[in-house]
Amino acid sequence: MTHRRTHLWISLLVGLAVWGAYFVHFLQQMRRGETGGLVLWFLGALVVIVLAETVATSLIAWLFRRRARALDEGPTLQAALKASHVALMLLIVLALAAAVALALASRFGWSLDLSGARGQVIAANALLAMVVAAELLRAGLTLALLPRR
């Protein structure tokens, strides 16, 4: 397995685990009607993601340094570009869907109450979910498109 493929697997698995745990906690907090402490959970999730990916990727690179091959720019680069393009399109669709939801809410006179703490937390986490979904799609699709060796 190449270093690139290993890094993508680490990114995908760590992202699923950490962000999955975060969003489960977020939904539990919302069900209880609480918003306190979510900022610390968010910052903690970011720290765990950065540390876990850095440590795991560094360890893999060090353990497999003798078997490292030169990066195959053609197919590997094409896979990364295609996956990045699809992830960007997903992010654009999600952002446009959020804009449509806000526009429709204002058109029909519905109040989403984004001025209160609860509304702001929900909006921030909706935006975070969009970015996390796009990034996980990018990593997974890149893995799927990488040529088998």
Side-chain angles (χ1 to χ4, degrees):
M1 186 179 296
T2 64
H3 178 68
R4 172 87 174 145
R5 189 178 303 261
T6 304
H7 174 74
L8 286 167
W9 273 111
I10 290 167
S11 180
L12 187 62
L13 295 175
V14 168
L16 283 171
V18 172
W19 291 120
Y22 172 80
F23 282 115
V24 165
H25 178 74
F26 168 74
L27 292 174
Q28 290 171 345
Q29 291 288 95
M30 290 295 103
R31 205 173 298 132
R32 287 188 218 127
E34 301 171 7
T35 58
L38 284 175
V39 170
L40 295 177
W41 271 79
F42 171 73
L43 294 174
L46 282 179
V47 168
V48 169
I49 287 279
V50 169
L51 287 177
E53 284 193 34
T54 301
V55 169
T57 303
S58 299
L59 183 62
I60 294 297
W62 183 75
L63 289 173
F64 295 106
R65 66 189 177 280
R66 296 192 198 284
R67 292 195 299 163
R69 292 183 279 204
L71 182 63
D72 182 7
E73 289 295 329
T76 301
L77 183 59
Q78 288 301 319
L81 288 174
K82 286 178 186 176
S84 294
H85 180 72
V86 171
L88 176 62
M89 293 300 106
L90 173 67
L91 191 56
I92 289 170
V93 166
L94 291 172
L96 289 175
V100 166
L102 290 171
L104 286 175
S106 70
R107 172 69 178 106
F108 292 113
W110 301 329
S111 173
L112 299 178
D113 191 25
L114 296 178
S115 62
R118 182 178 170 84
Q120 291 172 356
V121 166
I122 291 171
N125 279 279
L127 293 171
L128 175 63
M130 292 177 195
V131 171
V132 168
E135 179 57 20
L136 292 175
L137 175 69
R138 184 203 58 79
L141 193 54
T142 302
L143 277 171
L145 294 174
L146 281 176
R148 306 283 183 242
R149 295 183 198 230

